[in-house]
């Protein structure tokens, strides 16, 4: 039985980020893989070591401030689970909180967990719109589509980016990098929601979660004809594909 955890579903759920949980669960169910969802709100206990896939969605500055104290208490457990291979998808506000800090436009510094070597500072311009990113998964390149809306500009330290911006802003609109990748942690600015729009990425996360539990079996192929078509339409609209 795989356990999917949505941390702070009432506070970190911008632009349909919950859809990432739904897509992950559905792709398990379509293959007969038993799965359950655990929603964890402020103050509620969770054993990250027993979680297979963790979603930290996006949230506004206000929501980030509301969860920061609660999240800090969970830092040692979460860091230990990440070191041991927990699969995490962290989006926008959730992504920023895994780094060292997020500085708002007013100059307030929201401390991050410092698990990933990166920091974020709010800029005056909102980075908003549809975005396409090239991501390499096990040597295979995919063109992921999504929607971004952030004022935070993220800069990476020693951590690797998740991908390369084909169209849009990504981490900061300057260096062409998008997201961050550390062990089995995938950070990104892509809402959309991301996983329903990009099934190859969903399956990659699922494979990693299964591998961590010693369940190496190859995944049954699913019919992704609509997802693939939708992806192509968006890439065309963004001028990436003819
Ligand atoms: N508050 C952050 C920003 O604007 C995160 C927003 C989000 O999660 N979409 O940069």
């Amino acid at each position: 039985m795989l356990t999917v955890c949505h941390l702070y579903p009432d506070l970190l759920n911008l632009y349909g980020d919950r859809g990432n949980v739904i897509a992950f669960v559905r792709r398990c169910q379509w293959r007969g893989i038993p799965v359950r969802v655990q929603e964890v709100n402020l103050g509620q206990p969770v054993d990250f070591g027993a979680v297979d896939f963790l979603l930290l969605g996006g949230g506004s500055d206000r929501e980030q401030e509301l969860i920061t104290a609660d999240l800090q208490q969970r830092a040692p457990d979460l860091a230990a689970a990440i070191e041991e291979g927990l699969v995490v998808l962290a989006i926008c506000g959730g992504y920023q909180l895994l780094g060292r800090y997020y500085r708002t436009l007013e100059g307030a510094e929201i401390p991050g967990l410092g698990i990933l070597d990166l920091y974020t500072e709010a800029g005056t311009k909102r980075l908003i719109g549809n975005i396409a990113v090239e991501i390499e998964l096990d040597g295979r390149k995919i063109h992921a589509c999504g929607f971004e809306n952030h004022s935070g500009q993220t800069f990476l330290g020693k951590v690797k980016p998740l991908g390369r911006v084909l169209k849009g802003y990504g981490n900061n609109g300057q260096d062409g990098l998008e997201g961050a990748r550390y062990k089995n942690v995938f950070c990104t600015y892509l809402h959309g929601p991301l996983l329903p729009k990009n099934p190859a990425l969903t399956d990659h996360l699922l494979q990693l979660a299964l591998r961590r539990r010693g369940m190496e079996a190859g995944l049954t192929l699913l019919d992704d004809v609509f997802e693939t078509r939708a992806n192509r339409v968006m890439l065309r609209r963004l001028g990436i594909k003819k």
Side-chain angles (χ1 to χ4, degrees):
M1 168 79 76
L2 292 182
T3 300
V4 173
C5 174
H6 189 175
L7 199 52
Y8 314 124
D10 51 345
L11 294 167
L12 295 187
N13 179 33
L14 271 183
Y15 315 115
D17 284 340
R18 181 190 300 275
N20 294 306
V21 167
I22 297 170
F24 188 95
V25 166
R26 276 283 191 279
R27 294 182 77 81
C28 286
Q29 289 169 339
W30 285 333
R31 296 177 164 114
I33 301 168
V35 61
R36 69 180 186 122
V37 178
Q38 192 184 6
E39 297 203 330
V40 177
N41 293 296
L42 289 176
Q44 293 177 340
V46 59
D47 173 7
F48 290 117
V51 170
D52 295 291
F53 173 58
L54 173 70
L55 175 72
L56 259 176
S60 67
D61 294 10
R62 179 186 157 272
E63 279 134 5
Q64 286 174 291
E65 278 177 84
L66 283 174
I67 63 165
T68 177
D70 188 272
L71 192 60
Q72 289 292 340
Q73 290 182 1
R74 304 180 193 267
D77 288 352
L78 180 55
I82 285 173
E83 288 305 313
E84 173 271 307
L86 171 64
V87 180
V88 180
L89 176 63
I91 300 185
C92 202
Y95 165 24
Q96 295 168 352
L97 288 172
L98 288 180
R100 288 196 262 125
Y101 66 84
Y102 170 56
R103 191 183 301 142
T104 67
L105 207 51
E106 296 74 39
E109 207 160 284
I110 304 176
L113 299 181
I115 296 174
L116 270 66
D117 183 17
L118 55 92
Y119 66 92
T120 306
E121 294 179 350
T124 44
K125 181 183 172 191
R126 278 205 87 73
L127 308 180
I128 177 165
N130 286 308
I131 168 169
V133 182
E134 183 175 83
I135 303 175
E136 201 172 308
L137 302 173
D138 278 343
R140 186 162 75 98
K141 286 185 176 147
I142 66 157
H143 288 168
C145 292
F147 167 76
E148 61 182 327
N149 185 1
H150 51 111
S151 64
Q153 300 184 3
T154 297
F155 297 92
L156 305 181
K158 285 192 205 81
V159 72
K160 287 200 193 85
L162 175 63
R164 197 170 61 84
V165 177
L166 299 171
K167 190 82 185 187
Y169 298 101
N171 280 347
N172 48 53
Q174 299 165 44
D175 60 19
L177 303 178
E178 209 294 308
R181 169 104 200 248
Y182 174 69
K183 298 213 168 198
N184 288 339
V185 179
F186 294 71
C187 297
T188 179
Y189 272 108
L190 273 63
H191 301 277
L194 175 68
L195 296 187
K197 286 185 159 186
N198 301 286
L201 180 59
T202 318
D203 283 356
H204 186 73
L205 299 180
L206 176 54
Q207 283 277 22
L208 291 173
L210 290 171
R211 202 174 294 160
R212 172 160 166 255
R213 298 293 180 212
M215 297 186 265
E216 267 291 355
L219 293 179
T220 326
L221 282 181
L222 298 174
D223 180 359
D224 293 326
V225 66
F226 289 117
E227 291 86 340
T228 309
R229 246 187 246 166
N231 178 278
R232 204 165 295 151
V233 167
M234 185 47 78
L235 291 178
R236 245 184 248 140
R237 203 177 285 170
L238 293 175
I240 292 156
K241 254 199 176 93
K242 286 203 186 112

